[in-house]
Amino acid sequence: MSERLWSPNPTSVERASITKLSKLISKRTGTDLPEYADLHKWSVENLGDFWAQVWDETGIVGDKGSQIYSEGKDFISSEFFSDAKLNVAQNLLNKGTEDSVAIVSILEDGARRELTWKELRKVVASTAAALKDEGVAEGDRIVAWAPNIIEVIVYALAGLSIGAIVSTSSPDFATDAVLDRFGQIEPKVLLAAKNYRYNGKDIDCTNRLTEISNRLTTLTKTVLVTDSSTDFVTFTDWIAPFDGAPLAFTPLPFSHPGFVLFSSGTTGKPKCIIHSAAGVLLKVASEYRYQLDLSADDRVFFYTTCGWMMWNWLFFVLSTGATIVLYDGSPVSPNASRLFDIAEKEKLTFMGVSAKFIDNSKKENLSPALTHDLSALRIIGSTGSVLAPESFDYIYSHVKSDVHLVSMSGGTDICGCFLMGVPTRPVYRGELQGACLGLAMDVFDDQGTSAKYDEKGELVCLKPFPSKPLGFWGDLDNEKYRGAYFNGFPGVWTHGDFAAKSQTGGYILYGRSDATLNSKGVRIGTAEIYRIVESFDEITESMAVSQDWDGDTRVILFVILKPGLILTDELSKSIKSALRAHASPRHVPEKIIAALELPRTKSNKLVELAVTDVINGRKVRNRDGLANPDALDWFNDREELRT
């Protein structure tokens, strides 16, 4: 069993929303639910009762209707709240008191703004009126290609209030990448920026913006979030004529589309995933309340751009009445401790970052426990990739010894989490604490049966949930939808994560299963290799891929070295020895090669598949989906890979 690193104190357990839920359900049903596992089992065996309870306990405003859960002929056709009516924007704007702070926005250059709940409601009303004046109606699409700032939140709330469908992207996306996404959904209004700042540099978007605006032929208006222009109106000027407009909300069906999110686009043109805003609201409301125990007293931050689903996740935190803190810029500018500086100054209670950020902080030898006042911080959330066991150690040794570390796993596909925190259970080294309530999670072996404890297999979800996609844009017969999640095991959502169940009740992740290596007939998760390789001080990052070779495959390991260092035979031997000793002989690569740069998505995830394609002479399916597509050129026809 893994080492226990943190346990909740008895007082916090007693006060936790999840404890209160257990007692309430036990009293109402006469069912004994002494442990989280018991409550979780009840939640997935009684889907209608559970999600109705979430609606009631989180104070959803609207007509719940009488058809809570209707089991369809399959996963896709099952429905939640099929006769309900509500407006998601209303549920995001009705919690905070007028003069309390709803949103804090911080830019890389230090500029900081606040918006109270009263101010937020006022500006959303004006923006909604401006959208209506442009002819935007229920079902129309509005899009944003912009930095992570207040105006994007306001714009999205205004769109949802009138029934528009919202989609966002970050300004680091190239022209074709933006058009590949927004062009498919034919938007009416574009919110954009002329420039943004990242890592000390001002990046001009003017030329790209003009081309994007011209090529999105369905646009009736392009609005600039900042700066004046002869071509486009500014956000402030656009909404000014509607100052004082009343705040109104259009009641909509639970299944009304609210957001379109995009797949990373690394295996072809990005898939446009249509989400019910109400479905996402209910799903993440359960996460906030039961898995994290958030309330209106919290100050919640997640480092993200508008191009990652964690922006949507943070956006929905408004439903708790908590203050959300936005940041736009590099997480390490002007120094590696920038996000910890924000945590201290803003008195964050929840700090969300990527697993890579935690690993980088460890490599930079940061020790915020000694340099920062993090007394307000209750929870550190991590997602984006697998959080290595050593990173768990780092958090508790060098960041905060009594923090609740929540390793999260979900995705754009569900705009939420499958696996997450459990505030009433311990944190074990290298493990995600448990499956979210209402999510029937398991790990399947190759035969499609439930794997034993510690046996690696595919992470699956056996039953529907409210934030499952409504469908993919333009996929009228759901062929792409079924192909994306249900080809692995009939009727079962296969998420694409290589995982194992732990005897503690938690889960261990080993990386994406589509990046899983096959070494001598045994499946290996890339995260198992990375955690060992990146423990070497000389190595900043690594990537393991399969090369077709001699009628079989072989594992190639690319490493990024610290500046000024070279890959010596001695270092290569040490890496191989460590992998053999701490993993297995099958984890040892045939070759280790020093690379210049590793390709990654806009949300900072490594793209093993793209490198695999290049080194095997296959065409990369969508270079525009990468943050740094030119990095792929280095891997093409390498002499080291010919022998």
Side-chain angles (χ1 to χ4, degrees):
M1 186 177 290
S2 301
E3 179 186 355
R4 183 183 296 196
L5 299 178
W6 173 87
S7 294
N9 65 61
T11 301
S12 65
V13 170
E14 184 64 25
R15 291 177 179 172
S17 296
I18 207 168
T19 301
K20 295 173 183 175
L21 177 65
S22 292
K23 291 179 177 178
L24 188 152
I25 300 302
S26 294
K27 183 177 180 180
R28 197 179 76 200
T29 64
T31 307
D32 190 24
L33 303 171
E35 303 292 339
Y36 180 76
D38 302 306
L39 178 63
H40 183 269
K41 185 172 184 287
W42 175 87
S43 74
V44 298
E45 290 179 349
N46 301 274
L47 288 178
D49 287 348
F50 172 69
W51 291 111
Q53 188 66 38
V54 175
W55 179 298
D56 294 340
E57 283 214 333
T58 58
I60 301 290
V61 175
D63 179 1
K64 187 167 59 173
S66 59
Q67 298 297 317
I68 306 302
Y69 174 58
S70 305
E71 188 172 352
K73 68 180 188 298
D74 56 20
F75 205 107
I76 294 175
S77 61
S78 297
E79 291 185 297
F80 291 88
F81 301 93
S82 56
D83 59 347
K85 286 290 184 74
L86 71 160
N87 187 279
V88 167
Q90 182 177 13
N91 281 277
L92 296 175
L93 288 168
N94 70 345
K95 294 294 195 298
T97 58
E98 287 215 335
D99 294 327
S100 59
V101 176
I103 309 174
V104 174
S105 175
I106 301 167
L107 302 182
E108 187 181 285
D109 64 7
R112 182 184 184 278
R113 298 160 59 201
E114 287 186 354
L115 207 65
T116 65
W117 285 95
K118 180 180 180 180
E119 291 167 335
L120 177 60
R121 293 173 187 125
K122 184 175 185 291
V123 71
V124 167
S126 301
T127 307
L131 286 170
K132 286 182 179 179
D133 189 62
E134 292 298 332
V136 176
E138 285 182 37
D140 286 336
R141 279 76 64 201
I142 64 169
V143 296
W145 180 59
N148 183 22
I149 56 177
I150 288 173
E151 284 78 7
V152 186
I153 299 283
V154 169
Y155 179 72
L157 285 167
L160 293 176
S161 76
I162 62 175
I165 302 171
V166 180
S167 195
T168 60
S169 178
S170 56
D172 56 343
F173 276 69
T175 302
D176 287 342
V178 176
L179 294 168
D180 279 349
R181 289 158 172 79
F182 292 163
Q184 295 184 65
I185 62 173
E186 300 179 312
K188 269 195 173 180
V189 179
L190 168 67
L191 181 70
K194 283 181 63 179
N195 54 63
Y196 68 100
R197 187 174 181 83
Y198 190 85
N199 203 26
K201 298 178 181 177
D202 289 312
I203 293 117
D204 187 6
C205 302
T206 306
N207 292 336
R208 283 183 292 155
L209 173 57
T210 300
E211 184 176 358
I212 289 166
S213 185
N214 289 337
R215 290 174 63 184
L216 288 175
T217 57
T218 56
L219 289 179
T220 61
K221 178 73 73 175
T222 296
V223 181
L224 292 180
V225 287
T226 55
D227 300 322
S228 59
S229 167
T230 56
D231 299 318
F232 309 113
V233 66
T234 65
F235 186 81
T236 302
D237 290 343
W238 179 52
I239 67 172
F242 308 98
D243 185 39
L247 186 60
F249 303 102
T250 303
L252 300 162
F254 189 85
S255 60
H256 180 76
F259 285 96
V260 172
L261 277 70
F262 303 99
S263 65
S264 60
T266 55
T267 58
K269 205 166 190 177
K271 294 184 287 288
C272 306
I273 305 170
I274 309 168
H275 280 293
S276 154
V280 175
L281 169 66
L282 198 68
K283 170 66 177 87
V284 295
S286 175
E287 295 178 12
Y288 305 146
R289 186 175 186 86
Y290 302 127
Q291 315 299 152
L292 299 174
D293 220 28
L294 296 181
S295 72
D297 296 328
D298 282 296
R299 295 174 67 84
V300 181
F301 169 88
F302 216 107
Y303 178 74
T304 183
T305 70
C306 297
W308 189 22
M309 56 80 50
M310 291 311 299
W311 179 88
N312 302 77
W313 190 91
L314 182 61
F315 171 85
F316 277 100
V317 170
L318 290 170
S319 67
T320 67
T323 300
I324 63 171
V325 179
L326 313 177
Y327 173 70
D328 192 76
S330 166
V332 293
S333 180
N335 55 61
S337 66
R338 180 64 188 273
L339 299 190
F340 293 114
D341 296 343
I342 291 173
E344 177 181 49
K345 186 173 181 180
E346 299 298 332
K347 295 181 170 54
L348 299 181
T349 58
F350 178 100
M351 178 185 182
V353 293
S354 68
K356 190 64 188 173
F357 174 82
I358 294 174
D359 182 58
N360 285 340
S361 297
K362 176 168 66 77
K363 287 183 177 293
E364 290 287 338
N365 295 315
L366 299 184
S367 190
L370 300 177
T371 57
H372 291 70
D373 177 6
L374 301 178
S375 55
L377 192 61
R378 289 192 301 113
I379 306 168
I380 293 177
S382 169
T383 192
S385 57
V386 177
L387 187 64
E390 292 78 9
S391 292
F392 279 70
D393 298 336
Y394 168 74
I395 291 293
Y396 284 103
S397 297
H398 296 281
V399 180
K400 199 166 192 279
S401 61
D402 61 349
V403 77
H404 182 194
L405 176 58
V406 176
S407 184
M408 307 156 62
S409 178
T412 301
D413 322 78
I414 72 167
C415 204
C417 296
F418 285 120
L419 310 175
M420 210 179 185
V422 183
T424 56
R425 298 186 63 235
V427 170
Y428 291 92
R429 185 176 188 263
E431 294 187 10
L432 292 81
Q433 284 182 284
C436 291
L437 293 178
L439 278 287
M441 306 307 298
D442 202 350
V443 174
F444 274 11
D445 62 20
D446 290 342
Q447 285 70 48
T449 58
S450 183
K452 300 181 180 71
Y453 287 123
D454 300 321
E455 181 183 359
K456 297 167 188 173
E458 289 279 355
L459 184 70
V460 297
C461 186
L462 308 179
K463 294 185 179 183
F465 44 88
S467 66
K468 67 184 176 69
L470 296 173
F472 292 176
W473 198 269
D475 184 29
L476 299 180
D477 59 359
N478 285 326
E479 182 182 353
K480 291 180 181 178
Y481 191 172
R482 283 190 294 271
Y485 311 114
F486 301 104
N487 277 352
F489 307 104
V492 173
W493 179 294
T494 304
H495 193 57
D497 280 335
F498 198 38
K501 295 175 290 188
S502 168
Q503 295 185 48
T504 65
Y507 288 77
I508 302 167
L509 293 185
Y510 298 96
R512 293 292 295 171
S513 57
D514 54 14
T516 299
L517 307 173
N518 192 311
S519 175
K520 302 174 180 67
V522 177
R523 297 175 80 202
I524 296 172
T526 52
E528 299 175 90
I529 293 176
Y530 301 158
R531 58 166 291 216
I532 294 168
V533 173
E534 292 172 20
S535 68
F536 283 78
D537 289 339
E538 297 93 336
I539 307 297
T540 62
E541 199 167 35
S542 58
M543 175 185 283
V545 296
S546 291
Q547 183 188 21
D548 298 334
W549 189 257
D550 199 22
D552 200 351
T553 61
R554 63 179 182 177
V555 176
I556 307 296
L557 178 67
F558 295 102
V559 295
I560 303 295
L561 294 152
K562 283 187 175 178
L565 299 183
I566 60 171
L567 180 63
T568 62
D569 289 342
E570 182 180 0
L571 179 55
S572 291
K573 289 177 182 177
S574 296
I575 291 171
K576 290 183 177 181
S577 296
L579 287 167
R580 185 176 290 106
H582 299 294
S584 80
R586 294 184 178 87
H587 288 74
V588 178
E590 293 288 333
K591 286 180 176 284
I592 303 178
I593 301 170
L596 294 179
E597 184 182 7
L598 300 179
R600 53 202 332 114
T601 66
K602 302 290 186 179
S603 55
N604 208 35
K605 298 176 185 177
L606 291 176
V607 189
E608 289 102 336
L609 284 178
V611 173
T612 301
D613 283 342
V614 171
I615 69 170
N616 287 297
R618 298 190 290 264
K619 183 179 179 181
V620 176
R621 283 154 277 189
N622 194 339
R623 290 174 63 101
D624 287 336
L626 304 180
N628 54 341
D630 292 344
L632 283 174
D633 297 338
W634 182 90
F635 295 89
N636 188 45
D637 198 26
R638 299 296 306 175
E639 183 177 348
E640 303 97 311
L641 297 176
R642 297 177 197 156
T643 59

